[in-house]
Amino acid sequence: MIDTVPAPEGMPLTVQLKALLDQEIRYQPKLCGLKIIESAQENGLRMTVRLRDYEVKDLLSLTRFFGFSAETFSLAVNLLDRFLSVMKIQPKHLACVGLCCFYIAVKSSEEEKNVPLASDLIRISQNRFTVSDMMRMEKIIMEKLHWKVRAPTALHFLRLYHSLILLQADADSKKSLNIDRLEAQLKACHCCFAFSKIKPSLLALAILALEVQEQGLCELIEAQQTLQLQSNIKAGDLVCVRELVGKCLIEYASTKCSKPSHRKLRWVISGRTARSLKHSYYKITHLPTIPEAAS
C-alpha cells in the first residue's frame, strides 16, 4: 500500500508546519548513500554527482515540457535522491530510474487525465529501454522506498513559510516576496546535489531568508526568526545554507542561457498529448528563468 502524507490544509498554518516537521525525517535520502555518490570517480562505472545533476535537469525539462506542477518536480527529485541513496546503480540505468521516479511523481501529483503514457515518456526522452523495463524498475523503486511516495518536500515547506511570513508583511513586502520567484529558486537548488543532504525545511527557510535579505525586508526579520525557532533550525545552519543557496543561484544564472539540457527531448508523439505538446518544444531545451524581483 502506498504511504501518503496526511493533507492538513484545513488546519491552522502552524499546525500544518508541525505536521510536516514531524514527518520530514522519514522521507530524507540516506546520508551514507549520498556520501558514496559524492566520493565516486568519473569512470563510467559508478553514479556520480555530475550524472545525478544532469538527470535532475532532464526531469526539470520534462516538467516544463508537459506543464506539470512544481510539486511534481520536487517529488520526483525526492524519490530519485532517496532511491540513489539506498541502491548502487550503474550509470547506464540512471535514465530509466529517473524517468520512473518522474512517472511515479506525475501519477501522485497530477490529475489522471494529464498523466501521459509510459511509452510517450520514453519516446520524448529518447531512451532505448522498453515499457516493460520501466514497469520493472518502477516496482523496484517502490519496494526499496517501502511505498512511501508523497514526501514532505522543500516545496511544501517553502509555500508554508511564505504563507506564514506574509501574515506579518505589509503590502510592499508581500509584493517583494513573490512565491513564483521563490519556487524557481528552489528548482535551481534541486539541480545541485549539495542540497540533497539538507533537510527540506532548512533548504526552504534558507531560500526565504536569502530573499528577505536581498530585498532588504528588515521588518520581516523577526517573523523569519520565529519560523526558525518553530522549525528547530540553528542560526548557524541557516546562515551556512543561505550562503550556499546564494552561490548556487549565481552559478545557475550564469549558465542557464548558455547550457541547455544535455539531452534533446523530442515532441514527436501521438494521441491525445500531441496537441498539448506541439507548442512546447522550445521550452524543453532551456532551463527556466528565475523571475526578476519586484522593484
Side-chain angles (χ1 to χ4, degrees):
M1 180 178 178
I2 297 178
D3 180 38
T4 57
V5 175
E9 286 82 0
M11 301 180 184
L13 295 179
T14 53
V15 177
Q16 293 183 40
L17 177 58
K18 185 179 185 306
L20 289 179
L21 290 168
D22 288 343
Q23 296 175 70
E24 72 171 330
I25 191 65
R26 296 168 52 202
Y27 295 86
Q28 286 185 248
K30 300 294 183 182
L31 188 58
C32 57
L34 294 179
K35 288 182 177 179
I36 292 174
I37 295 174
E38 196 170 33
S39 64
Q41 300 298 314
E42 294 285 354
N43 55 17
L45 301 176
R46 296 175 59 187
M47 266 300 304
T48 63
V49 169
R50 181 181 62 86
L51 291 174
R52 179 268 179 196
D53 288 353
Y54 274 156
E55 186 61 29
V56 171
K57 289 173 184 177
D58 274 351
L59 298 187
L60 181 54
S61 292
L62 277 173
T63 301
R64 288 175 55 79
F65 187 50
F66 282 100
F68 289 149
S69 65
E71 182 178 356
T72 293
F73 174 63
S74 288
L75 180 57
V77 174
N78 173 272
L79 295 170
L80 177 63
D81 285 337
R82 284 163 58 201
F83 183 73
L84 293 179
S85 73
V86 297
M87 286 291 291
K88 293 181 180 180
I89 69 167
Q90 297 180 29
K92 64 182 180 180
H93 296 142
L94 178 59
C96 186
V97 170
L99 198 62
C100 285
C101 289
F102 181 75
Y103 199 36
I104 294 169
V106 169
K107 290 186 288 186
S108 300
S109 304
E110 302 292 335
E111 293 184 17
E112 185 176 355
K113 64 181 181 180
N114 295 327
V115 176
L117 297 175
S119 56
D120 288 339
L121 282 179
I122 293 171
R123 282 199 294 273
I124 292 168
S125 57
Q126 291 189 322
N127 286 302
R128 296 182 180 180
F129 48 80
T130 66
V131 172
S132 296
D133 294 331
M134 191 170 165
M135 295 303 102
R136 284 195 297 271
M137 183 62 75
E138 183 177 355
K139 184 174 184 293
I140 293 172
I141 292 171
M142 295 296 288
E143 289 176 347
K144 291 299 180 181
L145 299 184
H146 306 291
W147 300 84
K148 295 178 181 178
V149 174
R150 295 296 301 277
T153 65
L155 179 66
H156 292 126
F157 283 103
L158 184 61
R159 288 175 173 174
L160 196 49
Y161 287 145
H162 179 260
S163 296
L164 283 163
I165 205 169
L166 285 190
L167 296 177
Q168 310 298 322
D170 57 25
D172 290 338
S173 296
K174 288 179 179 178
K175 183 179 179 181
S176 298
L177 278 181
N178 181 281
I179 188 61
D180 291 334
R181 174 176 163 84
L182 292 171
E183 290 186 9
Q185 292 173 346
L186 175 59
K187 290 174 182 176
C189 290
H190 277 323
C191 295
C192 178
F193 175 83
F195 296 106
S196 300
K197 300 182 291 183
I198 296 172
K199 290 193 305 181
S201 56
L202 175 53
L203 173 56
L205 191 58
I207 292 172
L208 184 64
L210 179 65
E211 192 71 357
V212 167
Q213 174 183 284
E214 293 195 340
Q215 297 297 325
L217 303 176
C218 299
E219 68 277 10
L220 296 182
I221 295 296
E222 185 176 346
Q224 174 197 305
Q225 292 173 340
T226 298
L227 293 177
Q228 179 186 327
L229 289 174
Q230 290 174 332
S231 304
N232 195 27
I233 292 174
K234 296 179 181 178
D237 292 342
L238 182 60
V239 170
C240 181
V241 177
R242 185 186 66 197
E243 293 178 354
L244 190 61
V245 168
K247 291 178 181 178
C248 170
L249 296 181
I250 290 173
E251 293 176 1
Y252 181 86
S254 67
T255 60
K256 67 178 177 64
C257 294
S258 59
K259 288 187 178 181
S261 180
H262 78 290
R263 189 191 307 149
K264 275 192 175 182
L265 306 179
R266 296 181 298 180
W267 57 274
V268 182
I269 64 173
S270 59
R272 58 187 176 82
T273 55
R275 290 185 298 275
S276 62
L277 300 180
K278 182 177 179 180
H279 303 292
S280 303
Y281 177 70
Y282 179 80
K283 295 189 294 182
I284 200 167
T285 58
H286 294 75
L287 293 178
T289 300
I290 296 176
E292 295 291 338
S295 56

